[in-house]
Amino acid sequence: MNFTVEQLVNPTNWCSIGYPWYHAQRPTFIPGVSDSITTLISPVVLYWIVSLAFHLLDISGWEWLEHYRVQPSAEILKKNLATKGEVVATVMKMQIMQTLFGYLWGYFLSGNNDQLNYTAELQETSVRVTHWLLKFFDADRVARMMAEHGTQLTYYTYWWFIPLIQLAFGMFVLDTYQYFVHRALHDVPFLYKHLHSVHHRLYVPYAYGSQYNHPFEGAIVDGLSATLASSFAGMSERQTLVLYAIATYKGIEDHCGYQFPWHPLRFLTSNDSEFHEIHHQVAGLKSNFSQPLFTFWDRALGTYMTMEQLEAKKGHKKIKDL
């Protein structure tokens, strides 16, 4: 029996099946505040909340925490070339530039940000699911599948599968852009001297210094990378907010100076505080460029360095200097 795709799609009242737990069914995520503004401001708020939490650990005086520091806390005052006041002031300047950049990008270059028509989008997803199934099964079987499971297939595809694929692709774009731009900031002497050397005034990083950059670098690396990632992945503003929050939190944690062995993120990625502190040391300056999420580009292109390799390189240099 011949069917058209429209005949195979199971008619459904999409509003009646509800929304997943993570979805807020209201015009804006925060009532009275546009999602565009929420997406721009939330990472800044998150940055200072999480940084303050790590700072409280730094000043707690708890001796047991020293066991989990990558470098002794005394090294911060001894080796860092920027005062904490300078760091706070520079981070605030950079965040103002990032926010302004994001606002202008959204105003001039982003698409229509009106509230999504979920009924229409779910119906369109149902048509797409039917097309995908027809690539693998005959029309009669697809007709039965859509009649019995079409609503569930469409629901989980739209609310879970597609967003997760978009998030994964957005993360890949984010890491790819940041790896190659970060590496260029080290490989091109002019860029390192006039831009990236600011960040490396922190030989021993700490949480609220994670965004201690030259303001222009903050715009072209952090600001543009997240904006391009969300644009290429086709994310909505609320999805973009999730990506921004993940990248912001991960950047803080990579600079926090603590390496907790039981941390759940260590089971997902080896890009952690130890990995990035290697990069902040002179012997590791040309290694571990990946940020903020994974390490696949370092591994693929031969710039990955472990703490053991760093110590061996330092030892070799000491012998050579004798």
Side-chain angles (χ1 to χ4, degrees):
M1 183 175 180
N2 294 323
F3 296 95
T4 65
V5 171
E6 288 70 21
Q7 290 174 318
L8 294 173
V9 172
N10 186 31
T12 304
N13 179 6
W14 297 110
C15 294
S16 67
I17 63 175
Y19 300 94
W21 60 266
Y22 66 79
H23 177 70
Q25 179 57 13
R26 49 181 178 263
T28 59
F29 185 71
I30 298 177
V33 181
S34 72
D35 285 345
S36 299
I37 298 301
T38 300
T39 301
L40 290 174
I41 300 300
S42 293
V44 177
V45 175
L46 177 67
Y47 180 87
W48 290 109
I49 290 174
V50 177
S51 294
L52 177 60
F54 278 113
H55 180 63
L56 292 176
L57 292 181
D58 290 340
I59 65 175
S60 66
W62 295 335
E63 292 185 6
W64 62 271
L65 281 173
E66 290 298 317
H67 296 293
Y68 301 108
R69 289 198 66 92
V70 180
Q71 296 190 64
S73 55
E75 297 291 295
I76 294 177
L77 294 176
K78 188 187 300 183
K79 294 183 176 180
N80 286 347
L81 301 177
T83 67
K84 292 186 175 181
E86 290 174 333
V87 169
V88 170
T90 302
V91 169
M92 287 183 172
K93 289 177 187 176
M94 195 211 69
Q95 289 177 334
I96 290 171
M97 282 195 66
Q98 280 186 328
T99 303
L100 180 61
F101 175 84
Y103 177 81
L104 293 175
W105 179 282
Y107 185 82
F108 290 106
L109 298 176
S110 68
N112 185 6
N113 290 323
D114 292 339
Q115 188 180 12
L116 296 175
N117 183 337
Y118 295 111
T119 298
E121 292 217 340
L122 282 160
Q123 190 65 24
E124 184 179 342
T125 301
S126 186
V127 172
R128 290 178 180 175
V129 168
T130 304
H131 276 294
W132 293 340
L133 291 174
L134 285 171
K135 294 179 184 296
F136 303 99
F137 306 104
D138 61 69
D140 288 331
R141 187 170 182 182
V142 171
R144 291 195 301 272
M145 292 172 68
M146 291 303 294
E148 296 173 7
H149 308 292
T151 300
Q152 293 89 342
L153 285 171
T154 300
Y155 178 90
Y156 286 107
T157 298
Y158 181 79
W159 288 113
W160 292 99
F161 179 72
I162 292 175
L164 288 173
I165 292 297
Q166 288 174 308
L167 180 61
F169 184 67
M171 289 177 171
F172 173 78
V173 174
L174 181 74
D175 265 23
T176 299
Y177 180 91
Q178 291 216 13
Y179 175 88
F180 287 102
V181 174
H182 186 195
R183 187 168 181 175
L185 289 170
H186 280 270
D187 290 345
V188 180
F190 178 85
L191 295 178
Y192 185 83
K193 179 180 179 180
H194 295 283
L195 294 179
H196 196 53
S197 61
V198 172
H199 185 69
H200 281 276
R201 294 181 72 196
L202 296 183
Y203 183 86
V204 183
Y206 46 84
Y208 61 87
S210 66
Q211 291 186 6
Y212 175 62
N213 298 312
H214 187 287
F216 184 71
E217 178 188 338
I220 64 170
V221 178
D222 296 329
L224 187 57
S225 63
T227 302
L228 290 175
S230 60
S231 297
F232 287 158
M235 291 179 162
S236 67
E237 286 181 330
R238 296 186 189 183
Q239 289 175 296
T240 300
L241 173 59
V242 173
L243 179 65
Y244 283 11
I246 292 172
T248 299
Y249 176 80
K250 190 67 173 53
I252 297 167
E253 192 164 275
D254 291 347
H255 290 80
C256 73
Y258 296 100
Q259 185 79 343
F260 297 114
W262 34 262
H263 198 300
L265 284 179
R266 295 194 68 191
F267 297 101
L268 301 176
T269 174
S270 58
N271 191 334
D272 51 25
S273 181
E274 181 178 279
F275 171 87
H276 196 68
E277 287 222 22
I278 291 170
H279 174 73
H280 271 260
Q281 298 189 42
V282 175
L285 206 58
K286 295 289 187 178
S287 304
N288 294 9
F289 297 110
S290 294
Q291 58 184 37
L293 300 170
F294 303 105
T295 61
F296 50 81
W297 284 116
D298 276 307
R299 294 177 186 275
L301 299 178
T303 53
Y304 184 87
M305 179 182 282
T306 64
M307 188 61 79
E308 291 75 17
Q309 290 171 324
L310 176 72
E311 295 303 327
K313 187 174 180 179
K314 286 181 177 179
H316 179 73
K317 186 177 184 304
K318 287 179 181 178
I319 294 172
K320 197 174 179 181
D321 291 341
L322 292 177

